[in-house]
Amino acid sequence: MLYAKYFASKGDFKAAFWKMREPVGTPTHQAAMLDLAKTYPQIVTEGKARVTPEYYASLAESGETEAAARDVRTSLQALKILLSESEYGPLEQRANKFLDKTSILQVRRSVWEELSDAERTKLQEDRFVSVKDDSNFGRVIDRQLFDASTNGTTAGSQLGAVLGQAQYVDNSIPKGTYSATGQVGAAILGAVIGSSLDQSGSRTFVMRYAIKRLDGKVSYADRYESTSLGESIGVCVNLQAQQVDQDICELTAESLRAGLLKPRVKKNS
């Protein structure tokens, strides 16, 4: 609870709730959770936001539905301690409606609105449906590449070698102990010490994409890469996640009716 108190005092209530979630079994920990929530009720607000369909969808979109469900259930365990039974009960019931579904389907809002109420209900029978705004997706229509790579520097090792030789000469000539071999050794040692100031080069490319969003508007996005290869023209991308999402662009009401909504033919026994 020490970290939870620290984050709450700094106004980071999201991190505070995250830190107070585990473990929640000991009475001492539960009492500390209640005290902290009374002082900072914003923590409970952040906790409720972590058991919504929208939050679950944001975690499950990568395909890790089991991990997303575990995260939501862990938050529910904490909220069960922080909330009254009358407030927690409906919250848990709403969460169970999407936690019991093993798969997630992302659909653009324009496609979802083309479906009838009966079709929407059928799609949601055994899967969680996440409806996304069309403005979150688009196709790459142009791209420009900028090479932001930097060269390495050797100034540190060069300066170290010079200073090493100079110090050797200054010390050895008055004593009569100068030797060419000794000067070379001093230069090498100085270069090794000075090399700690050198900077290695880096390969960095900035790819600027022009994206025609599915709502008709054009947006621009910059991505930093270690290679000059980028996404192809025409590829569908998720602007929020900044990753390719070809399936959701190609998904239509017609393809849903021909696939997931297609009536199942019963086999004769």
Side-chain angles (χ1 to χ4, degrees):
M1 286 295 297
L2 181 63
Y3 287 111
K5 293 178 180 178
Y6 170 79
F7 285 118
S9 67
K10 297 297 182 181
D12 191 347
F13 304 112
K14 183 183 297 184
F17 179 77
W18 178 268
K19 288 298 182 181
M20 72 155 49
R21 294 193 315 170
E22 299 176 2
V24 297
T26 62
T28 302
H29 185 86
Q30 293 179 14
M33 288 173 62
L34 288 168
D35 289 341
L36 190 61
K38 288 179 181 178
T39 305
Y40 301 100
Q42 301 95 324
I43 294 176
V44 177
T45 302
E46 287 293 342
K48 291 179 179 178
R50 300 180 74 90
V51 295
T52 61
E54 294 76 16
Y55 178 76
Y56 172 75
S58 68
L59 297 180
E61 284 169 3
S62 63
E64 298 294 333
T65 53
E66 292 184 5
R70 284 197 301 271
D71 188 280
V72 173
R73 288 194 173 97
T74 301
S75 294
L76 282 172
Q77 290 176 359
L79 289 172
K80 188 174 183 179
I81 297 169
L82 301 175
L83 300 175
S84 63
E85 290 185 12
S86 60
E87 191 175 6
Y88 174 77
L91 195 70
E92 183 184 35
Q93 290 177 2
R94 286 194 296 269
N96 285 335
K97 288 182 179 180
F98 60 81
L99 289 176
D100 291 338
K101 296 171 182 177
T102 58
S103 64
I104 183 170
L105 174 67
Q106 295 185 67
V107 180
R108 289 181 285 116
R109 190 170 302 280
S110 61
V111 174
W112 187 248
E113 291 175 351
E114 287 185 47
L115 301 175
S116 66
D117 290 341
E119 289 173 326
R120 295 177 188 177
T121 300
K122 184 176 181 180
L123 279 176
Q124 293 174 313
E125 284 178 353
D126 56 358
R127 66 183 59 82
F128 177 77
V129 178
S130 175
V131 181
K132 299 291 186 180
D133 289 335
D134 289 54
S135 59
N136 292 336
F137 304 91
R139 295 188 182 277
V140 176
I141 58 175
D142 190 24
R143 65 179 190 177
Q144 295 178 338
L145 178 67
F146 172 69
D147 189 350
S149 303
T150 58
N151 295 322
T153 62
T154 58
S157 57
Q158 293 174 2
L159 178 61
V162 172
L163 293 177
Q165 293 181 77
Q167 186 176 9
Y168 174 79
V169 171
D170 288 344
N171 292 336
S172 60
I173 288 181
K175 298 178 182 179
T177 59
Y178 172 81
S179 71
T181 303
Q183 184 174 353
V184 172
I188 294 174
L189 179 60
V192 171
I193 296 174
S195 64
S196 62
L197 301 176
D198 292 341
Q199 295 181 349
S200 59
S202 65
R203 298 289 287 172
T204 305
F205 297 91
V206 182
M207 189 75 73
R208 166 158 290 187
Y209 293 98
I211 301 169
K212 181 72 173 293
R213 298 193 328 225
L214 298 185
D215 64 356
K217 298 180 181 180
V218 176
S219 294
Y220 296 90
D222 292 343
R223 280 180 58 178
Y224 294 83
E225 306 284 359
S226 59
T227 175
S228 59
L229 299 177
E231 307 298 348
S232 303
I233 303 297
V235 164
C236 178
V237 294
N238 183 327
L239 291 171
Q240 289 186 327
Q242 292 193 354
Q243 63 184 22
V244 175
D245 203 337
Q246 198 71 21
D247 291 342
I248 197 168
C249 281
E250 296 178 352
L251 188 66
T252 64
E254 290 74 19
S255 63
L256 282 172
R257 293 184 180 115
L260 295 177
L261 290 171
K262 187 176 181 179
R264 297 176 182 177
V265 178
K266 295 183 178 180
K267 296 181 179 180
N268 295 325
S269 56

